[in-house]
Amino acid sequence: SQPTGSPSPTGTTGASGTVATTGEAIDRERAGSPEPWMNASGVAFDEGFIAAQITAHQNAIALFDQQANGGGDEDLKAFAARHLPELRDHLREAQDVQRSIRQTR
């Protein structure tokens, strides 16, 4: 099993294993249909949107963490390390919003 954040043979990485990292993976991603929540409204839209934001932040954190702790370019490592706390804060905020949405249902 590959560690979280390591590129897979499918050209993806990230916490969910779905962050496209190659042109081929990006093309596969673009060929897919939009998420069902994109056509929803009200609470269904809110729930889908915040879930997508949480996944996006988890994936970004995995990528930034991978770079900060194992990247070969010192400037990129420093950039990733500098921005990880902000990404983690945003993830916590999104998770708080998600809890709030669930409590108001």
Side-chain angles (χ1 to χ4, degrees):
S1 171
Q2 291 180 310
T4 299
S6 295
S8 73
T10 61
T12 59
T13 191
S16 66
T18 60
V19 178
T21 58
T22 66
E24 181 182 343
I26 292 169
D27 289 345
R28 281 195 309 270
E29 186 177 274
R30 289 181 182 152
S33 60
E35 296 293 326
W37 62 266
M38 290 181 172
N39 296 318
S41 61
V43 173
F45 176 86
D46 294 345
E47 288 175 337
F49 176 81
I50 201 64
Q53 290 300 305
I54 288 170
T55 298
H57 278 80
Q58 289 169 332
N59 289 334
I61 289 166
L63 290 170
F64 275 59
D65 188 55
Q66 179 183 7
Q67 183 62 44
N69 293 306
D73 182 289
E74 292 303 316
D75 289 336
L76 289 176
K77 285 176 73 169
F79 178 88
R82 187 171 54 251
H83 290 282
L84 269 168
E86 183 178 7
L87 287 170
R88 289 184 175 122
D89 286 344
H90 288 176
L91 173 59
R92 278 190 291 279
E93 290 169 2
Q95 291 167 328
D96 289 346
V97 169
Q98 185 179 53
R99 279 189 288 280
S100 176
I101 290 169
R102 289 178 176 165
Q103 289 173 354
T104 59
R105 284 194 295 162

